[in-house]
Amino acid sequence: MTAAPTTDGVLVDRYGRVARDLRVSLTDKCNLRCTYCMPAEGLPWLAGPQLLTDDEIVRLIRVAVERLGVTEVRFTGGEPLIRPGLVGIVAAVAGLTPRPRISLTTNGIGLHRLAPALRDAGLDRVNVSLDTLDRDRFHTLTRRDRLADVLAGLAGAATAGLTPVKVNSVLMRGVNADEAPALLRFALDHGYQLRFIEQMPLDAQHGWDRATMVTADEILASLAGEFTLTPDPTERGAAPAETWLVDGGPAKVGVIASVTRPFCGDCDRTRLTADGQVRNCLFATEESDLRDALRAGADDADLARRWQVATRGKRAGHGIDDPTFLQPTRPMSAIGG
């Protein structure tokens, strides 16, 4: 049996890393069908009883914040905007003491309508996924003709004050790899902060191929043709993105190079899936069930201990380059980013 952690009040693993950033998936469902995430027909979605209720989500977040030192909460999916109780969940989390910083990762569809209510509820900022500025490419990539909705969502978030608005872009060879400069110019023109993300082996089809992934070095080389990039002197800390000043600053661009420049040694994240499973790493092959314990009557202290034990078993790194690496059974849509 795994020994309980000896450090009270924090989520610490055996390598001394402390998890203070909680990613909470609110649903595994999505209203897009991105080719690098899931098949055109979608996936077998979690049944209603498997999902945490709104109250259960808030309770587990409260345990993380009040008992385990979590200071940042980010809501993810699937697509979190399609969770009916989203605004109420945000408001409840914003009412916790100490109040965590609250953000949301979304594809942006419908954000222009929800942004004011989310801001009033206590949401601090958003990350919006946008891989192309070309309508036909967007349709091909997502299997939906919704680019205009995503652009409206970005504008709506900025107007509502959910800033800094961050844009997440995944580049793929032979698909949209040529758009790096255009995406950065778009972000600069609108005051958004752009983050390129290396494509990771988290697709439902298990079809990820390193040869089709555009690397951080390639992204930076493409940008260097139109912009002058200098290393950001600001301390990076546990942030996943390595950032550069664009044309002397203050604007910045980031690259999250999870595959070619892993940052596992500084990871400060823990994850809660929509069905109440703790994942101590995005690429974990094991999960720890809090939902059944919660529903069986576990008190907050017991839930906290279970979460600590789950964190204790975190590996040193994701091991993508290891010959024994196994892609997680769950795809990104079911894990939460």
Side-chain angles (χ1 to χ4, degrees):
M1 182 176 179
T2 305
T6 57
T7 303
D8 294 329
V10 295
L11 292 169
V12 61
D13 66 32
R14 54 190 163 173
Y15 301 99
R17 295 169 297 190
V18 178
R20 302 193 185 280
D21 183 336
L22 170 60
R23 309 294 172 93
V24 181
S25 175
L26 297 179
T27 178
D28 59 331
K29 295 184 177 71
C30 189
N31 44 13
L32 296 180
R33 296 290 182 270
C34 296
T35 56
Y36 57 83
C37 185
M38 66 177 71
E41 64 274 15
L43 296 166
W45 311 121
L46 291 167
Q50 295 176 281
L51 294 170
L52 293 173
T53 66
D54 293 0
D55 287 344
E56 289 172 337
I57 289 170
V58 172
R59 181 180 172 194
L60 290 175
I61 295 174
R62 178 170 56 78
V63 168
V65 170
E66 295 182 355
R67 291 178 175 264
L68 296 171
V70 163
T71 58
E72 298 192 29
V73 176
R74 181 182 300 184
F75 293 110
T76 69
E79 175 43 54
L81 292 184
I82 66 177
R83 174 91 186 201
L86 173 61
V87 173
I89 292 171
V90 170
V93 173
L96 296 176
T97 302
R99 183 198 188 282
R101 292 182 292 275
I102 309 170
S103 59
L104 176 83
T105 294
T106 173
N107 62 30
I109 296 175
L111 182 59
H112 68 289
R113 292 189 300 271
L114 273 176
L118 287 169
R119 178 61 181 172
D120 289 346
L123 188 68
D124 294 310
R125 65 169 193 82
V126 294
N127 284 38
V128 179
S129 298
L130 177 66
D131 301 324
T132 178
L133 297 168
D134 181 273
R135 180 178 175 183
D136 291 336
R137 278 187 179 177
F138 186 93
H139 197 176
T140 299
L141 272 169
T142 68
R143 304 184 177 101
R144 301 290 188 271
D145 186 13
R146 306 297 296 271
L147 176 60
D149 296 299
V150 177
L151 298 179
L154 281 163
T159 299
L162 296 173
T163 55
V165 175
K166 295 186 178 180
V167 176
N168 295 339
S169 297
V170 176
L171 299 181
M172 289 154 285
R173 201 177 310 285
V175 180
N176 63 337
D178 60 323
E179 284 198 68
L183 284 163
L184 179 53
R185 180 61 63 195
F186 167 79
L188 295 174
D189 288 346
H190 290 82
Y192 307 145
Q193 294 185 8
L194 181 61
R195 300 289 186 269
F196 290 103
I197 304 175
E198 287 184 339
Q199 186 185 4
M200 294 178 282
L202 290 167
D203 59 307
Q205 307 94 309
H206 286 212
W208 180 83
D209 183 351
R210 191 180 186 120
T212 66
M213 180 192 76
V214 180
T215 68
D217 286 345
E218 291 174 299
I219 294 167
L220 294 171
S222 177
L223 295 176
E226 295 189 24
F227 305 93
T228 299
L229 303 181
T230 53
D232 184 358
T234 306
E235 180 65 32
R236 177 179 176 181
E242 188 175 0
T243 55
W244 285 263
L245 299 179
V246 180
D247 294 336
K252 302 177 184 180
V253 64
V255 179
I256 300 176
S258 301
V259 178
T260 64
R261 302 181 185 182
F263 40 88
C264 301
D266 293 314
C267 181
D268 68 344
R269 285 166 291 288
T270 182
R271 290 177 166 80
L272 181 67
T273 66
D275 56 348
Q277 310 301 304
V278 168
R279 296 180 63 89
N280 57 31
C281 174
L282 188 60
F283 296 94
T285 54
E286 296 179 349
E287 299 175 335
S288 299
D289 187 1
L290 292 186
R291 181 196 62 200
D292 287 355
L294 184 157
R295 292 179 179 177
D299 62 17
D300 288 355
D302 184 36
L303 293 171
R305 284 192 295 269
R306 290 170 181 266
W307 208 325
Q308 286 181 305
V309 170
T311 302
R312 189 72 174 170
K314 186 171 183 173
R315 296 175 300 170
H318 55 49
I320 290 176
D321 286 328
D322 192 300
T324 63
F325 173 77
L326 294 175
Q327 182 172 336
T329 302
R330 291 218 211 201
M332 175 68 93
S333 62
I335 294 172

